[in-house]
Amino acid sequence: MPTPLLQIRDATKVYYSGGFLGDKKSVVALDNFNMTIDEKPATITTIAGESGSGKTTLANLVLGFIKLTSGKIIFDGEDITDMTDEQLKAYRRNVQAVFQDPFGVYNPFYRIDHVFELVNRHFSLSDNQSEYRDMVEAGLNVVGLYGEDVLRKYPHQLSGGQRQRIMMARAYMIKPRLIVADEPVSMVDASLRASILDAMLRLRDEHNISFLYITHDLSTAYQIGDQIYMLYQGTTAERGTAIDVIDAPQHPYVQLLIDSVPVPDPTDKWDVDISLPSEEEMRTAAAQGCRYYPRCPHRMDKCLDAQPPLFKMEKAKHEAACYLYEENEIAPIEPPMLVNQPFHEAAVAAVSHRKRDRAIAAGLIVIAFIAGALLALTREPETIVETVVEEVVVTATAIPPTEPPTATPPPTATPESQEIVPAFVVEPEGASDKGSITWGEDTVGEIENADERHSYTLLGFEGATVEIKLITGGRGLSGTGFFAPLMTVFDPAGDIVFAFDRARRSNRGELTFPADGAYQIVIGADDRGRGVEVYTVTIEGDMPEPTPMPALPPPAFAVEPEGAVDKGAIVLGEDGVNEIENADERHSYSLEGVAGRAVDVKLITGGRGLSGTGFFAPLMTVYDPNGEIVFYFDRARRSNSGSFTFATSGAYQVVIGADDRGRGVEVYTITFSDA
Amino acid sequence: MSQQKRNDSDRVVLKVDNLRIHYATPQGNVIAVSDISFNLYEGETLGLVGESGCGKSTTAYGILQLVQPPGYIVHGSIEVDGTEVLNLGEEELRKFRWTGLSLIPQGAMNSLNPTMRVKDQIIDVIEAHEGKKRDKEAMRERIFELFQNVGLPNRIYNMYPHELSGGMKQRVCIAMGVALHPTVVIADEATSALDVVVQRIVAQTLIKVKDEIGVSLIVIGHDMGLLAQIVDRIAVMYAGKMVEIAPVENVYANPLHPYTQLLIDSIPSIKERKPLKITEGITHDPRNPPSGCIFRLRCPFAWDHCAEVEPPPINVEEKHVVACHLFDEQFEERRAHAYATTANP
């Protein structure tokens, strides 16, 4: 018999509170709990119960966040209670977690990419950047997402369902054998839950990852669960396959619970009103008897004597802890199976092995980087700039101005010292939460959002010198083909007073403000301003009558028409690679001399992506001169690459970001001549 | 709940007409509620559903005149028993809340003051509207009666909120909401943080109190299962628009609007295992909604017409309104075809 994946034996967890002078209160969160999860096939084991039933305690125990009071948790034959840090790290490679709140687990300042970067670094998952990216992409694809749709977004730009699937993808990247999912769908709309549940099923079926699925939502357990454990006050009231238990519950508590799940059918309404006994009664639940006694409609004197063991029901593996079934056989508790060979030794070794390899690789990467840099210098940039700027820290240091500000009356709120300057808040409503710049007492201002143009009216800054530091997160710069992230500061006249550019090769600099007025900061965009949104900024603080906001200087770039053509040029050129960057557009091309030519098509959706459209795969359709569809990506394809051959020459239309009925499409016509 | 009567009244107690609410952002106004109109009849329980961000809570806060900046009401009319709420002054509005309109807020269990005893919080609400009461004994009787209405034991009279369970706190909030016998009570996700057994008790309490005190109720939620159990009619919102309002039996047995169908389809069942129906959330930028029908970007049946003309509300039968071109008589053939090709007509 193979070693089970996870065995929990007589697990008891007691929380103590108070007790400074002997008045110790204790709460038994988990009481002699037993569970086994087999290694193969992978299963979804549901732990269900009301709040306070011990579900989350169990999850935290399995994750090693808290220690058992007594009992054993055995993973792959190895007791997890006394692990060293190194062993724990190896254990975490095998057991990953997905939590309830898809809003709280992300750092709002970082792009989604950062999540993967961290896990990659922590577990040394990949040897190089391209391996890492393939890994991330594979993980995202498993949960029905695409890297180009989500990686460069901020958490707030994604739906709860997408965020939760990214957590699944993150866990998957580590290739664990067990994922503990604590209420992963409870904070997500019902209509979006299916995508998360689907991701769980795929991980189970295609990648052999088991789940400990903690929930109070029985309907989702019924839809995807294999085994189910119904907990009541830290004990198993009933267990079996999810279908057996929910279709025919045996324990009185489970019967009530399932009867209370609202039926989505107005013709099948609850027919009895239920009530709970008073708090006192609940608390006086027999110390050694059945925990459900105070609420049970079938209670018997016997129930007060001892806690009922699990009795076998008709169906295999279906068991209920209730004396109503005491004539049945008592379900045996299998003895735990331990193996001597620690499961994690190999994993620990693998980690350190990788680390050594990486050290060797690092030297090679430096050489490759320099070579690549030289190459990049000699080449024309052909695509949109993809800097990975994650945050910019603008540090206003205590450098005093060369002369006191005179251009405007000194603001009353501005102290004499230049150290404390008025607090500027990126406060046009919606922008505040992402791009708040507080140039205040702490003298540190931060702008987190790349791809945005921020404008600040700066008063009392004339002559002030600030230090600027650009911090890039995520992938770093080596992969982008740029030496330095780009950032440009325009003064009120629209002139560039400061820039990080390709040549600078640094992320630090100093800027002295030549005058007061409206400054614009463009981050994460190239000097033609591609991919930039414009914000205006109001000033907060006890400022004197602020000077009226001067009109923004014209952007130092022209993108025509409305930012479209510049990005959307298709060059069916010598190298045979064609790029169309703009989604949501219909492009029309007159192609001469293309008959019989085969092309590879790859759809990269960039920033906004299509993930929000409700389509699984990005959609793209190519119409031939007769209006017939000759190529398309559809929902079923779940891929973003393919190829086709031009049958004739003529005017082809390419529709991106829309389905074959052209929904959501703005039509542009682009004149094009083949090279 | 078997004793729950069908609601047949035709008297309109709340009439919302052409209500529009925006949230101002630097990139433009987010249209949270877009020209919605509906009636609430006397004694009726109306469910207001839709996914996160569809504007259901904003609608409720609009009705209560509690929209916070940067949100603001662009236009519309809200009449409660013939009183135009939008014309009320600050003081009138203060009096009108709790007596004309009251709210059981989202996460009501955290909206009680932790430093005040339960009795003092309820007395506070009553005295704020009816003036100081001398007769403490009468007040106590009145509160005990309220407790009885919502199924709370009298012993909690002197307790603090932290001594109560989640379900009890929720019921204290219900008691406060109905203390002054308002015409309309709005329950905003009043049960969503509770587990099923407690949720059922609270939902039952809500309906029982509604029948006993004779208020009309708007229940906001996204749990279609729960709503099936407690409401008379359901109003379905999508991205600020009301797409369908129908008697609850029609919505579940025969949803008409494609979005309502999607909602009904995605209810997880404990009766049968079905293939998962995967959808994404609201897809467009709320500042810049698509032309024509709001749902056309996700609609499996959309055609050119949907992009050009916004579907008007169409009365398909009494108290059943749907905003979808498929129910326009001139497109009957298309409807027949569309529904023939789906598994769930």
Side-chain angles (χ1 to χ4, degrees):
Chain A
M1 192 181 157
T3 318
L5 184 65
L6 181 73
Q7 304 167 83
I8 299 177
R9 290 291 173 271
D10 301 321
T12 299
K13 176 68 190 174
V14 184
Y15 290 109
Y16 297 99
S17 62
F20 174 57
L21 285 171
D23 180 27
K24 221 169 184 177
K25 284 182 197 158
S26 64
V27 175
V28 181
L30 207 58
D31 191 2
N32 281 307
F33 180 78
N34 285 290
M35 179 168 87
T36 303
I37 295 179
D38 287 331
E39 167 84 65
K40 268 185 182 160
T43 51
I44 295 176
T45 302
T46 305
I47 310 292
E50 62 187 11
S51 26
S53 62
K55 306 188 293 285
T56 298
T57 298
L58 181 63
N60 289 340
L61 285 167
V62 172
L63 288 168
F65 293 162
I66 51 176
K67 298 254 182 242
L68 278 173
T69 307
S70 67
K72 269 189 170 42
I73 295 178
I74 298 156
F75 185 85
D76 203 15
E78 190 69 11
D79 196 334
I80 73 161
T81 31
D82 304 308
M83 281 189 174
T84 61
D85 286 353
E86 193 82 338
Q87 288 170 327
L88 200 62
K89 187 166 169 180
Y91 176 67
R92 294 251 158 85
R93 281 191 78 120
N94 284 300
V95 180
Q96 278 289 308
V98 173
F99 297 105
Q100 174 171 19
D101 181 358
F103 306 91
V105 293
Y106 288 91
N107 183 334
F109 294 152
Y110 289 104
R111 291 171 188 273
I112 297 301
D113 202 11
H114 188 67
V115 168
F116 295 102
E117 180 67 30
L118 278 183
V119 75
N120 180 42
R121 217 180 300 155
H122 185 72
F123 289 106
S124 308
L125 295 175
S126 60
D127 291 327
N128 58 53
Q129 201 64 21
S130 82
E131 186 187 340
Y132 160 69
R133 282 198 212 160
D134 289 347
M135 250 175 158
V136 171
E137 191 65 33
L140 288 170
N141 289 353
V142 168
V143 299
L145 294 170
Y146 293 95
E148 60 263 29
D149 293 346
V150 296
L151 285 179
R152 298 199 9 96
K153 289 191 175 174
Y154 286 92
H156 71 268
Q157 293 171 303
L158 301 177
S159 74
Q162 287 172 324
R163 276 184 257 195
Q164 215 50 323
R165 278 185 282 156
I166 286 166
M167 279 294 123
M168 295 270 177
R170 175 198 162 279
Y172 165 75
M173 227 171 91
I174 305 157
K175 301 275 185 306
R177 290 151 76 190
L178 179 70
I179 293 178
V180 178
D182 190 353
E183 301 270 18
V185 299
S186 70
M187 288 178 74
V188 176
D189 274 342
S191 59
L192 304 184
R193 284 180 188 173
S195 64
I196 300 167
L197 300 177
D198 179 62
M200 289 171 66
L201 288 178
R202 291 176 64 157
L203 290 172
R204 179 193 69 181
D205 297 340
E206 295 166 21
H207 302 279
N208 205 42
I209 295 173
S210 288
F211 280 87
L212 201 57
Y213 174 45
I214 313 247
T215 186
H216 66 254
D217 177 3
L218 294 173
S219 51
T220 55
Y222 188 76
Q223 292 301 320
I224 66 162
D226 296 306
Q227 299 293 310
I228 193 166
Y229 284 70
M230 302 294 254
L231 260 52
Y232 183 75
Q233 292 194 4
T235 60
T236 305
E238 187 166 347
R239 67 183 187 191
T241 66
I243 291 185
D244 288 344
V245 171
I246 294 173
D247 280 348
Q250 303 295 320
H251 191 284
Y253 167 67
V254 181
Q255 288 169 348
L256 170 73
L257 201 62
I258 285 167
D259 189 45
S260 298
V261 175
V263 184
D265 179 358
T267 59
D268 180 9
K269 295 204 176 178
W270 287 318
D271 48 7
V272 271
D273 282 2
I274 56 168
S275 57
L276 289 176
S278 69
E279 309 285 293
E280 286 87 355
E281 266 183 81
M282 303 270 282
R283 280 199 205 102
T284 52
Q288 71 269 30
C290 176
R291 300 283 184 101
Y292 192 57
Y293 182 85
R295 291 168 65 179
C296 187
H298 305 290
R299 59 189 178 192
M300 303 173 282
D301 290 346
K302 183 177 176 62
C303 303
L304 285 170
D305 296 343
Q307 226 178 79
L310 283 160
F311 294 100
K312 284 189 172 178
M313 299 291 115
E314 252 173 63
K315 297 260 177 69
K317 288 189 166 176
H318 189 177
E319 296 156 12
C322 178
Y323 285 118
L324 289 175
Y325 309 102
E326 70 177 316
E327 285 164 12
N328 297 8
E329 198 185 324
I330 293 176
I333 299 169
E334 289 154 19
M337 286 178 68
L338 282 158
V339 286
N340 295 326
Q341 175 66 36
F343 75 91
H344 41 259
E345 238 167 44
V348 172
V351 171
S352 36
H353 182 63
R354 247 178 212 287
K355 276 187 179 155
R356 201 178 55 234
D357 284 356
R358 280 162 62 106
I360 300 165
L364 294 171
I365 289 168
V366 169
I367 296 163
F369 178 71
I370 294 168
L374 287 169
L375 261 176
L377 265 178
T378 59
R379 280 173 62 180
E380 274 290 297
E382 11 173 279
T383 57
I384 186 161
V385 178
E386 278 210 11
T387 43
V388 199
V389 181
E390 284 228 26
E391 62 183 70
V392 179
V393 176
V394 182
T395 313
T397 56
I399 304 169
T402 45
E403 51 182 308
T406 50
T408 48
T412 46
T414 309
E416 331 284 293
S417 148
Q418 193 58 41
E419 259 178 280
I420 298 170
V421 291
F424 293 93
V425 180
V426 180
E427 237 288 86
E429 295 86 19
S432 57
D433 59 345
K434 15 186 209 174
S436 155
I437 188 172
T438 311
W439 224 324
E441 299 129 351
D442 60 1
T443 72
V444 176
E446 293 196 352
I447 309 171
E448 280 91 11
N449 244 0
D451 293 338
E452 282 178 15
R453 166 173 283 225
H454 298 266
S455 173
Y456 308 98
T457 298
L458 306 184
L459 294 176
F461 264 76
E462 189 175 338
T465 301
V466 293
E467 250 179 37
I468 297 177
K469 188 177 168 202
L470 204 53
I471 298 175
T472 58
R475 288 181 288 174
L477 297 168
S478 53
T480 62
F482 288 97
F483 302 126
L486 294 172
M487 162 173 166
T488 315
V489 179
F490 297 87
D491 74 9
D495 292 326
I496 293 174
V497 290
F498 180 83
F500 287 118
D501 60 16
R502 281 164 219 235
R504 186 181 279 263
R505 281 180 160 271
S506 158
N507 68 339
R508 285 161 193 275
E510 227 178 52
L511 164 66
T512 303
F513 290 95
D516 286 344
Y519 285 79
Q520 290 198 323
I521 302 175
V522 178
I523 306 162
D526 65 359
D527 45 3
R528 272 176 292 165
R530 291 180 293 192
V532 164
E533 280 174 41
V534 180
Y535 284 120
T536 48
V537 173
T538 55
I539 304 159
E540 201 183 65
D542 297 321
M543 298 284 295
E545 192 65 6
T547 48
M549 183 72 141
L552 293 182
F557 47 82
V559 186
E560 286 175 328
E562 284 122 38
V565 161
D566 196 24
K567 306 204 247 175
I570 186 170
V571 184
L572 201 55
E574 304 132 337
D575 58 358
V577 176
N578 319 290
E579 299 194 2
I580 306 171
E581 277 93 10
N582 245 2
D584 297 331
E585 283 178 17
R586 169 173 284 228
H587 298 263
S588 170
Y589 307 100
S590 285
L591 303 184
E592 296 301 330
V594 294
R597 187 162 164 182
V599 290
D600 283 333
V601 183
K602 188 166 184 218
L603 198 53
I604 296 172
T605 52
R608 284 176 295 170
L610 297 166
S611 59
T613 59
F615 303 127
F616 247 117
L619 294 168
M620 161 172 166
T621 316
V622 179
Y623 297 87
D624 73 6
N626 302 321
E628 301 288 322
I629 293 173
V630 291
F631 178 82
Y632 64 96
F633 291 117
D634 65 0
R635 283 167 220 236
R637 186 180 280 260
R638 282 180 164 269
S639 157
N640 68 339
S641 45
S643 60
F644 75 99
T645 305
F646 288 100
T648 61
S649 291
Y652 282 78
Q653 288 201 320
V654 181
V655 179
I656 305 165
D659 63 2
D660 47 2
R661 273 174 289 166
R663 292 179 298 193
V665 164
E666 289 170 50
V667 179
Y668 285 90
T669 309
I670 296 176
T671 324
F672 171 77
S673 44
D674 195 7
Chain B
M1 211 92 38
S2 49
Q3 64 274 27
Q4 186 187 334
K5 316 181 288 290
R6 190 73 241 129
N7 173 70
D8 293 323
S9 172
D10 278 335
R11 198 170 82 82
V12 176
V13 291
L14 169 70
K15 185 175 169 60
V16 174
D17 195 25
N18 207 23
L19 180 67
R20 189 178 185 90
I21 301 175
H22 285 178
Y23 287 99
T25 79
Q27 296 85 20
N29 286 326
V30 170
I31 304 162
V33 175
S34 177
D35 305 331
I36 66 167
S37 303
F38 65 93
N39 290 338
L40 178 69
Y41 298 95
E42 185 178 26
E44 181 182 48
T45 307
L46 176 72
L48 197 53
V49 300
E51 56 205 82
S52 317
C54 74
K56 49 191 196 297
S57 289
T58 304
T59 302
Y61 286 89
I63 292 169
L64 292 155
Q65 295 290 289
L66 288 173
V67 180
Q68 301 291 328
Y72 61 98
I73 294 178
V74 180
H75 57 66
S77 149
I78 297 158
E79 271 181 33
V80 177
D81 253 347
T83 310
E84 173 58 59
V85 181
L86 293 181
N87 292 342
L88 295 178
E90 203 55 29
E91 179 59 22
E92 291 167 306
L93 201 56
R94 192 187 66 75
K95 288 206 170 118
F96 198 67
R97 291 192 188 123
W98 299 104
T99 55
L101 280 168
S102 78
L103 172 75
I104 302 168
Q106 202 161 14
M109 21 216 281
N110 300 324
S111 61
L112 296 172
N113 183 340
T115 64
M116 280 172 81
R117 292 176 197 278
V118 169
K119 64 164 184 189
D120 293 328
Q121 305 203 33
I122 299 178
I123 290 172
D124 207 35
V125 166
I126 295 174
E127 291 188 341
H129 285 85
E130 299 180 358
K132 265 266 181 263
K133 299 278 178 174
R134 277 168 206 285
D135 192 346
K136 297 288 171 215
E137 195 52 40
M139 182 63 101
R140 203 163 71 142
E141 284 308 309
R142 188 166 162 187
I143 290 173
F144 282 170
E145 198 186 316
L146 274 174
F147 281 171
Q148 179 147 22
N149 283 330
V150 298
L152 285 170
N154 290 347
R155 67 192 161 79
I156 71 153
Y157 185 75
N158 267 321
M159 286 187 180
Y160 285 96
H162 75 266
E163 297 176 89
L164 310 179
S165 68
M168 289 169 107
K169 277 187 260 188
Q170 199 76 45
R171 278 180 279 170
V172 170
C173 287
I174 295 174
M176 285 164 72
V178 300
L180 296 163
H181 294 219
T183 317
V184 176
V185 176
I186 298 177
D188 185 6
E189 304 269 9
T191 63
S192 49
L194 305 167
D195 47 73
V196 283
V197 176
V198 183
Q199 179 187 59
R200 172 172 169 178
I201 293 170
V202 171
Q204 286 172 346
T205 307
L206 207 53
I207 294 305
K208 182 170 143 275
V209 171
K210 185 211 78 167
D211 288 340
E212 278 173 12
I213 300 189
V215 299
S216 304
L217 190 59
I218 295 179
V219 182
I220 297 174
H222 58 248
D223 183 342
M224 295 293 280
L226 182 70
L227 289 168
Q229 295 291 325
I230 63 175
V231 306
D232 301 318
R233 280 198 308 155
I234 287 194
V236 181
M237 287 189 70
Y238 180 76
K241 294 268 183 200
M242 197 148 272
V243 297
E244 184 166 1
I245 309 181
V248 67
E249 294 83 4
N250 295 12
V251 168
Y252 288 84
N254 183 23
L256 295 184
H257 195 283
Y259 179 63
T260 316
Q261 292 174 9
L262 175 77
L263 271 189
I264 298 293
D265 270 0
S266 52
I267 301 172
S269 164
I270 58 159
K271 298 272 169 124
E272 51 164 343
R273 271 201 190 194
K274 340 183 244 198
L276 297 167
K277 180 144 183 155
I278 296 163
T279 60
E280 297 285 352
I282 291 174
T283 59
H284 60 263
D285 180 350
R287 287 174 281 265
N288 187 18
S291 63
C293 174
I294 194 83
F295 188 59
R296 71 178 164 90
L297 299 182
R298 287 171 72 184
C299 181
F301 309 126
W303 76 102
D304 304 348
H305 188 62
C306 302
E308 288 153 16
V309 182
E310 188 183 333
I314 297 167
N315 253 308
V316 286
E317 59 181 86
E318 206 203 338
K319 292 186 181 178
H320 190 163
V321 178
V322 60
C324 175
H325 289 309
L326 285 176
F327 299 93
D328 189 331
E329 277 170 18
Q330 56 170 315
F331 299 120
E332 193 155 352
E333 229 169 79
R334 184 176 280 272
R335 175 173 78 228
H337 177 73
Y339 281 36
T341 53
T342 54
N344 184 16

